[in-house]
Amino acid sequence: MDDKIFEERMNSLKSSYEKLQPVSSVDHIINNVKQTELPKRKKIFPLTYVASFIGVLLIAGILGTQLISQSNKSSGEKSPSIENQTVSATDIEDSINEVRGLYERNLDVLKEKLQFDDVEQYSFVQEAKNSVESFEERREYSSRAELQNYTENVKNIISLRVSMPNEEMEILKERAKNDKKIDETQLISYLIKIELLKERFNEKWFNLRQLPTEGNLVEYVDKLNKQEVENGSDDYLNLIKTLRENGYRFIFITEGEGQIDLTIDHQKILDTFKDMLSNQLIAYLQYKKEVIEQGTVLGLTQEQLASRIIKLEETIIAHPNFEKNDDLKMEYEKHLLHFIQYSDEESMNDFVSDYPKSLSAKQVDEFLNGNEHDEFVSGQERESISAKISPELKAISGNNVQLLPLTDSLEAVYEEYKNTRNDEILEGPFLGTESAIEVSIARLYMYAVENKDYETAFYLTYDGEASERPDLERFISEMAQSTTNYQDLSNKVIKVSTTYKENGRLIEHTFTTKDGESIIFNMKRNNEYEKVRVEYTSFP
């Protein structure tokens, strides 16, 4: 075989190998074979030897690549885990956008479901908003894992708080199923959400209710709770469904001519979480359920009233740090005062004998032996009895209050007054709201300030005798620079007590916060019967 034939065969071999996935250059291998294996004396090697040699080189190339790769791995060259990956500014910004986006989307959905634009003023939404803002302020993280954990925690808060009560309940149920327990702090927060929304839903119920003109209202209440009502407008029937889904139930109030009211369905919580609840929460929920079944103080016999007083005392004393204890203390005081006011001397002596070791019996006994007992217990005597209640059982003074947001009816009053300055609009009553007229006007003022409507706030400020209110221009300038934050006050306040002084001209509201702080908010009227306005103070 001459050189020409040999060259043709080698080219054919090259063409065959080029069809394989190369490990190294085919040209290089062929040239190498030609240079090293082609002898000057034209000694011919069989083609099978050449192919075998090339195969060896290919295998060596593959093995060499694998060995180098394994060597790199064994020497510690590997991708860092999420625990030790550094965090870039872009990573942080992406997480911020993700969290802010979720918050804004949930907020829009909640506005649509509640048909209300000012949902961000509810304290439970404020809780999520503050978490988002704190997250946005942070700019340093030790690792991506820390950033990721913080991101997920804030997203969980948003999903839980910026939602309807029924949506929050589903999240709590899923967590309880996975964890085999319930976080009672979150469950109480859920209860507070329902309480805060009750004013708004009460207003909707008052405006849309379509009660039967004939028939038994007690039976109708049962149909409402079972969602078996068929007659009524679509809005009315949809409202019934919404109320039941979101943790409310209907009750028949026997006072007066009788009416159907809205309350919280505590039994639903008991049924949902059953054996996961603590004794203190069970006692609280069962008491609330009992009130629904037996009625308030006016619907109880003396024996039922006495039994409830003792049960309340035992529950409060047994769980002194329970978050909802003040609710029970308010109920205790109401029941004890009613018992003393409407019981005869024999009934009170029996109470002292039946429960000799109780703090309640001690107070009833002091009343009996203090020459205070009469057929009629005056308001002043009631205050005296209330003042003597044992500190362990004494509630924070005042009524529950919600400052912001306004109800639909109050917001309508605000808009009308803003446009007309008609003082008669503020004379009340304000349907749908649970706050007194003076407190409602204070809410209007706070709403104006929070919305930077300082002109309306100016006209809601007292301008009568001895007023220190400046002119409009200066007032607006002062308010624009003020650090007063009524949204923050609304987030913290739980109670308001009102005192009237100077023959009713000075109205002193004492707002009590969750932390026990007392904040004075004064209002004035020109005389005993004229318009009520917020007293001007020079704001810091």
Side-chain angles (χ1 to χ4, degrees), residues 469-499:
R469 186 185 74 174
D471 59 38
L472 177 59
E473 184 177 355
R474 181 182 161 194
F475 180 88
I476 291 176
S477 176
E478 285 187 2
M479 295 301 294
Q481 299 175 52
S482 171
T483 58
T484 301
N485 188 335
Y486 287 119
Q487 180 63 66
D488 185 56
L489 178 67
S490 178
N491 294 344
K492 296 187 295 186
V493 163
I494 55 173
K495 291 284 190 71
V496 60
S497 60
T498 303
T499 304

Side-chain angles (χ1 to χ4, degrees), residues 418-437:
K418 175 182 177 179
N419 294 327
T420 66
R421 307 282 186 246
N422 182 357
D423 291 332
E424 292 182 0
I425 297 169
L426 303 181
E427 291 179 359
F430 306 119
L431 300 178
T433 178
E434 298 182 355
S435 55
I437 291 175

Side-chain angles (χ1 to χ4, degrees), residues 323-364:
E323 188 171 345
K324 301 293 287 181
N325 246 3
D326 196 68
D327 287 359
L328 298 179
K329 290 177 180 179
M330 287 180 65
E331 291 291 313
Y332 171 81
E333 184 171 337
K334 179 171 67 177
H335 283 70
L336 182 65
L337 290 174
H338 187 85
F339 179 79
I340 292 175
Q341 183 168 0
Y342 294 101
S343 296
D344 56 29
E345 189 169 344
E346 181 181 355
S347 296
M348 286 192 277
N349 277 318
D350 288 343
F351 181 85
V352 173
S353 299
D354 291 340
Y355 308 103
K357 296 183 179 181
S358 69
L359 294 172
S360 305
K362 179 182 178 182
Q363 179 135 11
V364 172

Side-chain angles (χ1 to χ4, degrees), residues 34-177:
K34 289 167 62 177
Q35 292 173 6
T36 57
E37 298 299 324
L38 192 60
K40 292 181 179 180
R41 291 182 295 175
K42 300 181 182 180
K43 184 176 180 180
I44 306 302
F45 288 89
L47 186 58
T48 54
Y49 291 172
V50 175
S52 297
F53 187 80
I54 293 172
V56 170
L57 289 177
L58 290 172
I59 294 170
I62 294 171
L63 292 175
T65 301
Q66 292 178 341
L67 288 172
I68 292 171
S69 174
Q70 291 175 357
S71 175
N72 287 339
K73 289 181 180 179
S74 63
S75 64
E77 294 180 16
K78 59 182 179 179
S79 300
S81 66
I82 191 171
E83 285 78 12
N84 53 30
Q85 286 178 356
T86 57
V87 181
S88 68
T90 301
D91 294 331
I92 296 173
E93 201 61 38
D94 288 345
S95 294
I96 288 174
N97 291 335
E98 181 183 357
V99 166
R100 172 58 67 174
L102 178 64
Y103 175 77
E104 296 294 343
R105 289 192 299 275
N106 279 29
L107 193 64
D108 288 340
V109 171
L110 190 57
K111 287 178 182 180
E112 183 179 350
K113 289 184 176 180
L114 287 174
Q115 299 177 332
F116 178 57
D117 287 335
D118 291 325
V119 294
E120 201 168 34
Q121 292 183 334
Y122 280 114
S123 59
F124 56 85
V125 178
Q126 286 284 310
E127 179 184 337
K129 181 182 179 182
N130 292 338
S131 296
V132 172
E133 290 176 347
S134 296
F135 179 76
E136 290 173 334
E137 290 171 1
R138 183 168 172 180
R139 292 290 167 172
E140 292 185 2
Y141 294 88
S142 60
S143 66
R144 286 191 182 180
E146 185 183 18
L147 173 60
Q148 188 179 75
N149 290 338
Y150 193 4
T151 301
E152 290 304 312
N153 287 339
V154 178
K155 286 169 63 178
N156 286 336
I157 292 172
I158 294 169
S159 299
L160 199 65
R161 307 309 285 149
V162 191
S163 63
M164 293 288 284
N166 63 321
E167 294 166 339
E168 181 162 338
M169 172 58 82
E170 288 304 312
I171 294 173
L172 294 177
K173 285 165 62 175
E174 185 65 24
R175 290 182 182 179
K177 179 181 177 181

Side-chain angles (χ1 to χ4, degrees), residues 14 59 74 117 254 386 441 445 462 464 486 496 516 523 533:
K14 170 185 173 182
I59 294 170
S74 63
D117 287 335
T254 58
S386 177
I441 294 174
Y445 174 83
Y462 175 74
Y486 287 119
V496 60
M523 303 180 74
R533 295 292 182 271

